Structures are given as structure tokens and as C-alpha cells.
Amino acid sequence: MSGVLFGAEAVPEAYQRHLVPALFVPWAALLIDRAEVLEAAAVLDVASGTGVVALAALDRVGARGRVVSSDVSPAMLAFVAAAEPNIETLLAPADDLGVAGQFDVVLCQQGLQFMSDPVAAVSSMQRALRPSGILALSVWARGQVLEPFDVYGQVLEAEGLSEPFPGAYSYDFCRSPEEIVGVLEAAGLTEIDVTVETLEIHWPSIETVVSGIAGTPYGPPVAALPADRQRQVAERLRERLRVSHPSVAVVGRGVVRQGERHITFA
């Protein structure tokens, strides 16, 4: 599904410019710390998007390491390849990565909620790991306001714009800790550790947050509007969005190890 949502040609550049620095870079750092990515490690980043997690992992593994970005969107992978030639790219769905036993760490930031079969996807990620390899993923936490994405959808719905994909205005982008434990356990991971984390997000300006809609599936429908309607939508967004706000995610970690079942909630 993510290939359809983020496949429009203009989306990757806007996503990288407006959303990544303030919102996704801090979460990438937290995810990489949770996964204990070490120098010289081999890392696979699934649902890599524009490569924010992969780039952070490359800094951690150094010249002796290996980083691969995987996604179903050719546009996103082309962006990664142009940004950093030392990152390999893999065009593949998350539930059929086609790699086995090659990686020390598999990462997936804010991608699981777009996958039609999360257990199949995480099972495929698990198969990509070497023995004792670590899988770490994050999803937005259920029961929390999801800024700025909830606001984007609410404003477009109130303005009478058609959904950019079926069910867009009611789509559930969030998951609970219990759901993540269930997915990791069903996929065969052990030593499962799931926490709910909060980061305080600070955008450079309200215009940055408003412009961030162009890096989401809501962007193309707005760009297709007449100029006066685009200005109207932007004004509604300015009224609703905030420059600083909390961001809450569920972060899960599991290990490929036989014969152990240990689950921790925090």
C-alpha cells in the first residue's frame, strides 16, 4: 500500500525537505539506539522512504559496514540512491524481501501501519536477519493525537476534498503496544521489548508544517486545486497546526534466537 500512497513523483522531495528534519530524524536516532546498531554492522532499512533511517545507520556502521534501503516505491529508492551512493537499494515488498540471513539489524520506521499483512512483513524481516540479529521498528501510538497528519486529513475532509485513497480520512495510522508485541511474537522474534516513547517536536516555522502536507498522500490532491483553493486550505492548516507538539510512538525490538520467549513492556 505504501507504494501507492507515496509513489507520486513530487512526494519524496517534499517529504525530505519539510517532514524529515523536524519529525523523522529524531525518531530515527531513537530507533537506531534501540537496535544497538554497531560499527561494521550490516543493516537493512525496510519501508525506507527517502532513507532517513538508512542514512543515520550509515553514520553508525562506518566504512566497514553495509546499509540497504528497501521500499516498494521506485521514486523513494531513486531519491535514496541519488542522496547517498554508499547505500544499496532493494525494490521489494516488505512481506517478500527475498533476502535471508544477511543482516545484523533490520529497521522499520513508521512503515508497518501501511502493510496489509504485518505478521508476514515482520516474518520476512526476521528471515533477513542472522542468528542473534536484532529487529527494531516503530509505529505511531494509538490513543494519541497524530500531529501533523491527523490535522492534514481533518482539514482536507472539512474542505470537501476527495480522499486521496479509499478510506483515507478514517485510516488508522496508529498501533498499540499489545499489537506490536503480538506481531513480533507471531513472527518468531524473542527477547521482545516494547515501549511507548514521546519526543517533543519543534518545527522551524508554521510554514514548514503547512508545507509538509506536500510530502504525504494528501499533497497531490491539494496541488491539483486552483490557486485560490490552495491558499484557502493552507490558511485552514495554519489555524490548526502547531510549531511545537509532542510526538508519541510505540517502539518494538526483538531478537532472532531459538528457545527463548521473554517479553518486556514499559
Side-chain angles (χ1 to χ4, degrees):
M1 184 178 185
S2 59
V4 175
L5 301 187
F6 296 94
E9 186 175 346
V11 168
E13 192 279 334
Y15 178 94
Q16 179 68 27
R17 177 183 296 183
H18 302 299
L19 296 174
V20 164
L23 184 60
F24 290 110
V25 165
W27 280 115
L30 186 150
L31 187 64
I32 286 173
D33 284 343
R34 181 62 56 83
E36 301 176 1
V37 176
L38 301 176
E39 186 178 0
V43 178
L44 173 63
D45 179 28
V46 178
S48 189
T50 60
V52 56
V53 171
L55 285 164
L58 187 64
D59 286 342
R60 189 70 64 89
V61 304
R64 296 188 297 123
R66 178 192 182 201
V67 177
V68 178
S69 283
S70 172
D71 207 286
V72 293
S73 168
M76 287 292 192
L77 290 181
F79 194 98
V80 176
E84 178 48 77
N86 290 318
I87 294 177
E88 302 171 43
T89 58
L90 173 64
L91 181 64
D95 60 0
D96 189 16
L97 292 166
V99 293
Q102 296 185 25
F103 296 95
D104 303 300
V105 178
V106 173
L107 304 167
C108 182
Q109 175 168 274
Q110 301 305 338
L112 195 70
Q113 60 266 43
F114 299 112
M115 298 170 188
S116 57
D117 189 338
V119 173
V122 175
S123 296
S124 181
M125 297 179 209
Q126 186 256 72
R127 288 192 295 272
L129 286 164
R130 296 168 178 157
S132 300
I134 294 171
L135 188 153
L137 58 85
S138 61
V139 296
W140 302 123
R142 178 164 289 148
Q144 308 290 330
V145 176
L146 177 53
E147 294 190 55
F149 307 109
D150 281 350
V151 176
Y152 293 159
Q154 291 163 6
V155 167
L156 266 60
E157 184 177 20
E159 289 295 311
L161 273 70
S162 298
E163 293 179 318
F165 60 92
Y169 295 145
S170 59
Y171 193 83
D172 184 3
F173 295 99
C174 303
R175 299 292 182 268
S176 69
E178 292 79 11
E179 288 175 285
I180 298 307
V181 167
V183 169
L184 293 173
E185 191 172 24
L189 278 300
T190 65
E191 301 178 42
I192 295 168
D193 177 52
V194 174
T195 61
V196 178
E197 306 288 348
T198 302
L199 296 179
E200 191 69 22
I201 302 301
H202 303 285
W203 301 83
S205 68
I206 194 65
E207 294 306 318
T208 304
V209 201
V210 171
S211 298
I213 197 170
T216 74
Y218 303 122
V222 174
L225 293 172
D228 61 332
R229 287 283 284 130
Q230 290 189 42
R231 287 192 291 270
Q232 182 177 337
V233 169
E235 186 55 36
R236 298 291 84 79
L237 290 170
R238 289 187 193 96
E239 293 169 358
R240 295 281 308 279
L241 292 165
R242 300 187 292 176
V243 174
S244 297
H245 60 82
S247 180
V248 187
V250 178
V251 181
R253 179 185 185 276
V255 179
V256 175
R257 207 180 328 267
Q258 298 299 316
E260 298 182 23
R261 293 172 64 83
H262 177 245
I263 299 172
T264 302
F265 276 100

